[in-house]
Amino acid sequence: MSSVHRSRKKKKVVAISATISHGTVVTDPKSNAQNPAFPLAAFFWPARKSTSQWIILPLTLMVVGLFRWVVGFWGFSGFQTPPMHGDFEAQRHWMEITAHLPISQWYFYDLQYWGLDYPPLTAYHSWLLGKIGSWIQPEGFALHTSRGFEDHLLKLYMRSTVLVSEYLVYVPAAVIFNRRLARMRGVSAWESSIVLVATLMQPATILIDHAHFQYNTVMLGFVLASMSSVLAGRYLWSCVFFVFALCFKQMALYFAPAIFAYLLGSCLLPRFNVLRFVFLALVTALSFAIAFAPLLLGSVYEYVKEPSLAVGLEPPALLSVIPARIDPKSWSYHLFLELAQSIHRIFPFARGIFEDKVANLWCCVHTIHKLNTYPIPILQRVSLSATLISILPACMTISLFPRKELLPWAMASSAWGFFLCSFQVHEKSILLPLLPMTVLLGSEGGLGPEMRAWIGWANMLGTWTLFPLLKRDELRLPYAVLTLLWAYLLSLPPASWTLYTPSGNDLAAPTKLLHLAFYAAMLIWHVLEAFVVTPSGKPDLWVVINALIGAAGFGVCWLWCTWQLILRSGVLEDYFGVRIRLEKQDLGKDKRSIKKSL
């Protein structure tokens, strides 16, 4: 019996479109010739017509990965600085205790020496890496005896875990979000590739995670996955990914008001959708339950099996808010004990309103009027009030106009509000507001002069405020190389002043003056910090000035993001006319998106 052979159809090669109209190309008025507008576009110029994205993407990921790996050759946080060392030791210590101690002891063990103070997903992540690390190098993760261990093999392993974690979570999320945003806003695949490199080469993220040492990109990857799910209309998955971001690092709360306001608005407009609202609430609660389940159930099982584990554990004050008295010997008591202790560790209000010299509102106020003279509860209330006021414009706007293209603007405004006004802000938290701003390079006109100037200025300023932290870790050279490289690729000061020359008519004069003033201040500060000794009795003078300049600039960033959100929403037009028009246009899309998300 003969069979007819049918040749397999060749897959269609997805080529990068040559349609370019979002700021990557400048046209010579005399010859009508097109040229790249900045160096990063020039690097991709040969691939603008027919090169497959399946060739461009692997090359891109290899190049940005190489930069990350090379940065890891330098020192890390707390290198050879006993007794507490730094963030490198904190992450290693969490791997040590999670790999060797019962799960019920993770949030109680030796809290004075880098006690675990991140949500459960970080603990599970540390447990997995600790188990693998103990198999590769047991002495590097041995309980008690490995404190301060700084062997070269340990450094190699720890650096590798950051890179692998980032390429498993952050990089795929960035690629998918970038492509979805490009398709939604009509950006060509060629320009989308340029934006991906600009996003992955963001200097602040590389310096903090791969030089200073942390795992922020895992949390940021979950945030990008949540944003990407919103663009795809998969709101339930958006809830899942955002809960995972919160359960990896509590700093993701910076985005929570904007995400909540958007999802609430999508339930209320154009008409109240009860089914969507219920499903979103249930999926969110279920996601939190799944994230905390191993910690809580594992702890209850261990306490029931071995009651002596609970001996000597000091219950947190949060446990006293339970109105009913619970028998300390019951399993429910241990369940609430573990939950209360983890929350108590995740939100350390007793530490103070800010830590170190961070470029936010409270550090500026403290420079003039000492805030440590006030009781912490009063500072908490003032901080909460200021934070609510700062995020209110973004939340109100995105809830009244829940359009997908507005979400990054709302998240940026919310994150800037939190960074400037919230309680217990770290300088490394600057990565959060910079993320939604940077991905906006992939929106319509995102690589144009105005957007590139504002987003580039915010990134340069944010990285500059990290310099005092990086200097302590002896990371001056990686800071200089990565910052100047990113500025060169996007044609930004101090590598290029093209955007701010008289011929650069695309930028308004006030914008040019404002940005140039901050760029000049940053350059002058670096000269003074390097060559001028601080006066006697004021050893932190340059650090304080850095924080003051940074806070002023970040305040401008908050104003710009908030203004752009309000402007693009159409709320400044005739309000009722905009509302009716949006309802008519989006009614059919809303029905289809509800079916997809449910």
Side-chain angles (χ1 to χ4, degrees), residues 27 301 408 468 554:
T27 304
Y301 173 78
F554 296 154

Side-chain angles (χ1 to χ4, degrees), residues 59-73 163 167 201 206 210 482:
L59 291 176
T60 297
L61 298 185
M62 284 190 286
V63 171
V64 299
L66 180 63
F67 276 99
R68 283 159 165 74
W69 188 251
V70 171
V71 166
F73 292 162
L163 189 66
Y167 268 68
M201 286 298 295
I206 298 177
H210 297 274
L482 287 176

Side-chain angles (χ1 to χ4, degrees), residues 4 90 115 185 207 225 227 250 281 317 377 418 432 475 488 495 545 554 588 593:
V4 179
R185 305 307 296 166
L207 288 168
M227 296 170 67
Q250 60 271 36
F418 264 89
L432 281 89
L475 296 172
Y488 165 74
I545 293 176
F554 296 154
S593 63

Side-chain angles (χ1 to χ4, degrees), residues 517-540:
F518 274 93
Y519 279 122
M522 288 187 275
L523 291 173
I524 293 171
W525 181 90
H526 269 303
V527 173
L528 295 175
E529 188 274 336
F531 298 106
V532 178
V533 180
T534 57
S536 178
K538 296 182 178 180
D540 296 330

